[in-house]
Amino acid sequence: MNTLPSQILSRFSLVGRPVWTAALLPVLLVLLALVGVSCKQQGSETKPSDVDYYTCTMHPSVRSQKPNDKCPICSMNLVPVMKKKTTASPEPAMGEKGHDHARMLAEQATKTQSPAAETPSEFMVPVARQQQIGVTYATVEKKPLRHTIRTVGLVAYDKQRHWDYVSRVEGYVQKLEISTRGERVEKDQPLLTIYSPDLLTTQREFLDALRMRDAAKKSETGATLESAERLVESAKRRLTLWNVAENEIAELERSRTPKETLTLYSPFKGVVQNLPADQGRRVMIGDRLVDVADLSTVWVWADFYQDELPMLKGGLPVVVTTSSYPNERFCGTVDLIDPFINDAKRAGRVRFILPNPDLKLRPEMYVDVELSMRWAKRWPSRSMPSCPPANATWSSWTKAKACWSRVSSNSGGNMAMTTWRRPD
């Protein structure tokens, strides 16, 4: 017969068992999930038996034993390098325990071998990775190596073919012979006329000096004639400084009739770049009237890095293309290499001269610049220099254990390597 305490205890145990079971079930599930994740991580970080190591296709010097590592240089995923399949050589049969002696000698040689004497091993790059990095194949052939540099340039007008008319006298714009910016003008075409009281006064002084010179010639007085000649030259010089053309001065001297206006003519065939003047407006000395630019020849300014500047020289041909005319190529030459370096860009400016007869290249237009040069540098000796030559124009130098080598490639996919062996 059960006692009262035993009955209470048995009833408590029957009631509380489901409660404790329900409380422990989530804890057990969490522990099982953690164990599964850790096992998965350990499985993913385990190197397969047929893989020697993992390396980067762009930087073969990087090696790792973990498949999930990335290249510390370019952050690319590492690819596996498979172990070389070698045939097992038969062990020497020297009695019952003869092979133990051979194995002992092999192990001793392996222990004494220096780690630096390891020979480089071959590795295979998967086809998918080759397609991603753009590996191409070509037949090795002997031909001149050309190096191409590409950059972006900005078109500018030739400052020696640009004229900015500035008012040299006070007056009023009486008439504009041109109407707007961008209008094409011919050489000696009238641009505008200016009425100036000061100019009219100077013309009258010039005519008075001419009459005085004529009177001195008739009187045959040497001192008076010399003084009159000085006055004529002084008045003529003043008219020239006020943008009065030589032919107009000659016409004034012939007709002896002063003109009330001054006409400005285009100094060359070009395009109106700016027209700030308006008809009837008063102009003061120094006010800009009209800008004319000859765009038959233009400049192109481009930036080059400081390690590319030694490759450039005056007269080097250049090809310019633009998205406005995708099927056309504009040829020019290197005209000027700026000796100063931009401290922010660490680059120097180079100026090119290009003919522009059809006016297709316009100021402030972005263009693509391409320079192609032939590397004909030949070293007389094949012996290894103590250090890379200072005037070398190659892209990179690598120092191997037994030789110096330099590798270069260009945009056409050509690659060349020159090696100097270490002298024995």
Side-chain angles (χ1 to χ4, degrees), residues 371-392:
L371 286 92
S372 181
M373 62 199 74
R374 178 177 177 179
W375 278 349
K377 184 71 175 179
R378 295 183 180 274
W379 302 97
S381 175
R382 300 290 292 180
S383 61
M384 170 188 165
S386 58
C387 61
N391 59 349

Side-chain angles (χ1 to χ4, degrees), residues 116-364:
E118 295 180 357
T119 58
S121 60
E122 299 179 358
F123 65 93
M124 300 295 295
V125 180
V127 178
R129 175 63 69 178
Q130 294 183 21
Q131 295 176 352
Q132 291 177 358
I133 63 179
V135 176
T136 57
Y137 299 91
T139 305
V140 177
E141 57 183 356
K142 183 178 180 181
K143 65 179 182 178
L145 179 64
R146 303 189 66 86
H147 181 63
T148 302
I149 304 176
R150 292 184 176 88
T151 184
V152 178
L154 188 67
V155 180
Y157 60 83
D158 189 342
K159 289 186 177 294
Q160 296 179 348
R161 299 173 180 266
H162 174 267
W163 190 263
D164 188 357
Y165 272 112
V166 178
S167 177
R168 300 182 182 181
V169 294
E170 295 184 9
Y172 301 87
V173 179
Q174 184 169 350
K175 184 179 181 181
L176 287 176
E177 302 293 344
I178 53 179
S179 58
T180 182
R181 174 186 178 183
E183 185 176 343
R184 298 190 182 186
V185 295
E186 300 293 334
K187 184 178 181 181
D188 297 331
Q189 177 180 338
L191 300 177
L192 54 86
T193 56
I194 298 177
Y195 167 74
S196 174
D198 295 339
L199 179 62
L200 184 60
T201 302
T202 304
Q203 292 183 67
R204 290 173 178 172
E205 292 177 357
F206 177 65
L207 296 178
D208 292 339
L210 290 177
R211 285 192 292 266
M212 186 183 299
R213 186 185 64 179
D214 294 341
K217 287 181 180 180
K218 292 180 181 179
S219 63
E220 297 182 355
T221 304
T224 306
L225 180 60
E226 184 179 356
S227 177
E229 288 288 352
R230 287 197 299 266
L231 291 176
V232 170
E233 293 298 327
S234 176
K236 184 183 295 186
R237 179 62 178 169
R238 192 184 309 172
L239 291 174
T240 303
L241 294 176
W242 284 356
N243 282 329
V244 180
E246 293 290 340
N247 58 347
E248 291 186 342
I249 296 177
E251 178 64 22
L252 177 63
E253 187 176 356
R254 186 188 62 82
S255 63
R256 303 296 175 96
T257 303
K259 294 183 178 180
E260 296 182 354
T261 60
L262 169 65
T263 304
L264 300 181
Y265 299 89
S266 175
F268 39 68
K269 180 180 179 180
V271 180
V272 177
Q273 184 176 357
N274 195 13
L275 184 62
D278 292 325
Q279 289 187 157
R281 176 180 295 181
R282 181 182 180 183
V283 292
M284 305 297 292
I285 298 177
D287 290 349
R288 299 179 62 183
L289 301 175
V290 59
D291 298 348
V292 181
D294 181 9
L295 301 180
S296 61
T297 301
V298 294
W299 291 348
V300 173
W301 287 98
D303 292 337
F304 290 85
Y305 292 112
Q306 59 184 13
D307 57 344
E308 297 173 341
L309 293 176
M311 307 179 191
L312 308 180
K313 62 180 180 180
L316 190 69
V318 61
V319 177
V320 173
T321 57
T322 175
S323 58
S324 302
Y325 306 95
N327 298 326
E328 296 191 29
R329 296 161 62 91
F330 305 90
C331 299
T333 56
V334 176
D335 179 59
L336 175 67
I337 302 176
D338 193 346
F340 300 98
I341 300 295
N342 189 317
D343 56 351
K345 299 180 180 178
R346 307 311 306 168
R349 296 202 312 164
V350 179
R351 188 180 71 191
F352 310 98
I353 292 184
L354 284 82
N356 187 33
D358 299 330
L359 306 185
K360 293 183 178 180
L361 297 178
R362 306 177 183 183
E364 307 302 326

Side-chain angles (χ1 to χ4, degrees), residues 26-90:
V27 178
L28 293 176
L29 292 177
V30 172
L31 292 177
L32 290 175
L34 293 177
V35 171
V37 170
S38 62
C39 292
K40 183 177 180 180
Q41 292 180 351
Q42 292 178 1
S44 61
E45 295 181 356
T46 304
K47 182 183 69 172
S49 59
D50 58 344
V51 175
D52 191 5
Y53 57 91
Y54 295 87
T55 185
C56 177
T57 55
M58 303 299 295
H59 306 91
S61 60
V62 176
R63 295 188 179 186
S64 176
Q65 298 296 330
K66 297 181 180 180
N68 295 332
D69 285 354
K70 294 183 179 294
C71 177
I73 302 176
C74 61
S75 300
M76 292 179 59
N77 294 329
L78 302 182
V79 298
V81 177
M82 312 306 294
K83 293 182 179 179
K84 296 181 64 178
K85 296 181 180 180
T86 57
T87 58
S89 59

